Amino acid sequence: MSAAPLRVAFDATHARINRTGIGRYAQQLLPALAARDDVDVVGLLAPGTGATGRAQHLLGVARRDFAYYPAGLAHRARAARADVIHCPTSSPAHSAKPPLVMTVHDLLWLRMPQHFTPAVRAYHRMSVPAVRAAGRILADSDATRADVIELLGVPEERVVTAPLAADPRFAPREADRDLLRARFGIERRYVLAVATREPRKNLNALLDAFERLAARVDDCDLVLVGGKGWSSAELERTLEATDDRVKVCGFVSEDELVALYAGATCFAFPSLAEGFGLPVLEAMACGTPVVSSNTTSMPEVTGDAALLVDPTDVEALAAALERLMTEPVLANGLARRGLERAATFSWERCAAETVAAYRQLV
């Protein structure tokens, strides 16, 4: 006889408010859990989620971090008769009953604090006691799991790796050159980068590498996707001074992003450090050859399906991009291996690892 389904109170707040990797994680994991017959998922939202206007937004943040997570989430989970709470990102959430599972996407603010503002570090620090007290911690990668154990002193048996996956819409397709031309002004071959414009993403190094690449390869552009982050003033000034071979697209829709992956000659991800590196997996799932950093979780995600370089070595980055621009046999081989590698990650697998952690705890 099969065990009764677990009733899971899932904090869906960040699935609603966050457009970056944390929000995408929650958006993809929720339906993967809901598709299973061994869990019954109840989605919970912090009060004020989706509020418009600066004053309402600030009030919502205060209520979320100083009332909902410390007490309200557990209260509402008990009212829903949940067996377990899942908070899909580090937060000041506390609960002994029902027990709490928390996902930690990275501890890079501790590993390399110089790349984060004091406010960001303070915000994350507020969550540390709750993370340490959680009954189970899910980590996106073995690299993040090791950081949780080392930097927070959490016993290793309480930390479980549950790798992420790409949305199924990230898949090979024919490049829509008309859309790329009309929507983004892209006429030539291009290197694609997807990242928030903040210091850790190392986009200044990518711009320097592209300048070297453009001197060697005539018919190529650099296309940047992603919004502004903190401490990006210097980068923004540099971008304003670049010519039309560097195209800054900002946030784009999911369908536009798939089209950009499909049309790219190669994908560049020179980040200094990542908890997982979801854009790399998305690019591989689309059949786009990848140049990535050789640090933290990136080798774990790419396996042998990408060119890995030291992200601080601008010439190595430029040379790797040049190889993918000028060596079609290499590029095609990496694209094929990337598809095979991406297929080993799935949200069904992530959900299975997540439910196993629920059951271990309950």
Side-chain angles (χ1 to χ4, degrees), residues 18-48:
N18 201 319
R19 297 182 66 179
T20 60
I22 293 171
R24 291 160 78 103
Y25 165 76
Q27 291 161 11
Q28 295 298 317
L29 181 57
L30 264 171
L33 291 172
R36 297 176 61 93
D37 58 10
D38 54 356
V39 289
D40 177 18
V41 180
V42 179
L44 301 179
L45 288 174

Side-chain angles (χ1 to χ4, degrees), residues 336-360:
R336 184 179 63 256
R337 293 206 298 273
L339 287 169
E340 295 168 354
R341 179 70 178 173
T344 66
F345 296 83
S346 71
W347 285 110
E348 290 76 17
R349 173 188 170 190
C350 183
E353 299 284 0
T354 299
V355 172
Y358 296 162
R359 291 206 171 274
Q360 289 168 11

Side-chain angles (χ1 to χ4, degrees), residues 196-354:
T196 303
R197 300 198 295 276
E198 63 183 68
R200 177 172 60 88
K201 299 300 184 177
N202 200 31
L203 294 178
N204 277 315
L206 178 58
L207 288 173
D208 290 343
F210 178 72
E211 185 176 356
R212 299 186 187 194
L213 174 67
R216 305 168 191 171
V217 179
D218 291 333
D219 60 331
C220 69
D221 291 341
L222 173 64
V223 176
L224 302 179
V225 171
K228 289 184 181 179
W230 52 77
S231 303
S232 64
E234 179 186 350
L235 175 61
E236 298 303 325
R237 286 192 295 270
T238 301
L239 290 173
E240 289 174 3
T242 58
D243 60 27
D244 63 358
R245 296 187 69 174
V246 177
K247 303 183 185 303
V248 182
C249 300
F251 283 115
V252 301
S253 71
E254 293 284 289
D255 287 339
E256 289 171 338
L257 184 56
V258 175
L260 285 163
Y261 279 126
T265 303
C266 62
F267 179 75
F269 199 72
S271 179
L272 296 174
E274 291 291 322
F276 184 81
L278 190 55
V280 167
L281 192 59
E282 292 173 347
M284 292 194 301
C286 289
T288 308
V290 170
V291 174
S292 179
S293 303
N294 62 1
T295 64
T296 56
S297 61
M298 272 79 85
E300 188 180 333
V301 173
T302 61
D304 67 349
L307 295 183
L308 300 181
V309 300
D310 178 348
T312 64
D313 188 336
V314 171
E315 178 53 35
L317 179 56
L321 294 173
E322 182 181 9
R323 291 190 68 192
L324 293 186
M325 281 284 182
T326 60
E327 299 180 30
V329 173
L330 172 64
N332 291 337
L334 285 178
R336 184 179 63 256
R337 293 206 298 273
L339 287 169
E340 295 168 354
R341 179 70 178 173
T344 66
F345 296 83
S346 71
W347 285 110
E348 290 76 17
R349 173 188 170 190
C350 183
E353 299 284 0
T354 299

Side-chain angles (χ1 to χ4, degrees), residues 22-172:
I22 293 171
R24 291 160 78 103
Y25 165 76
Q27 291 161 11
Q28 295 298 317
L29 181 57
L30 264 171
L33 291 172
R36 297 176 61 93
D37 58 10
D38 54 356
V39 289
D40 177 18
V41 180
V42 179
L44 301 179
L45 288 174
T49 298
T52 58
R54 180 171 176 78
Q56 291 84 354
H57 171 72
L58 292 175
L59 177 61
V61 170
R63 293 173 67 188
R64 182 176 74 224
D65 291 332
F66 297 103
Y68 170 73
Y69 281 126
L73 176 60
H75 176 76
R76 293 177 63 183
R78 287 192 292 271
R81 298 183 179 180
D83 298 303
V84 63
I85 299 172
H86 186 174
C87 195
T89 187
S90 302
S91 71
H94 287 272
S95 180
K97 185 178 181 181
L100 176 67
V101 173
M102 189 175 294
T103 301
V104 174
H105 297 284
D106 66 69
L107 289 176
L108 301 176
W109 63 275
L110 272 175
R111 181 64 74 186
M112 44 177 56
Q114 70 276 19
H115 293 304
F116 296 83
T117 66
V120 170
R121 295 197 301 270
Y123 180 84
H124 285 297
R125 197 174 295 115
M126 185 170 62
S127 301
V128 167
V131 174
R132 285 178 169 146
R136 283 292 183 279
I137 297 168
L138 296 172
D140 295 349
S141 63
D142 288 338
T144 295
R145 179 177 184 270
D147 277 353
V148 171
I149 295 167
E150 176 189 348
L151 300 178
L152 298 186
V154 178
E156 62 181 52
E157 64 271 15
R158 282 171 45 207
V159 191
V160 178
T161 301
L164 311 188
D167 184 301
R169 77 180 71 190
F170 292 98

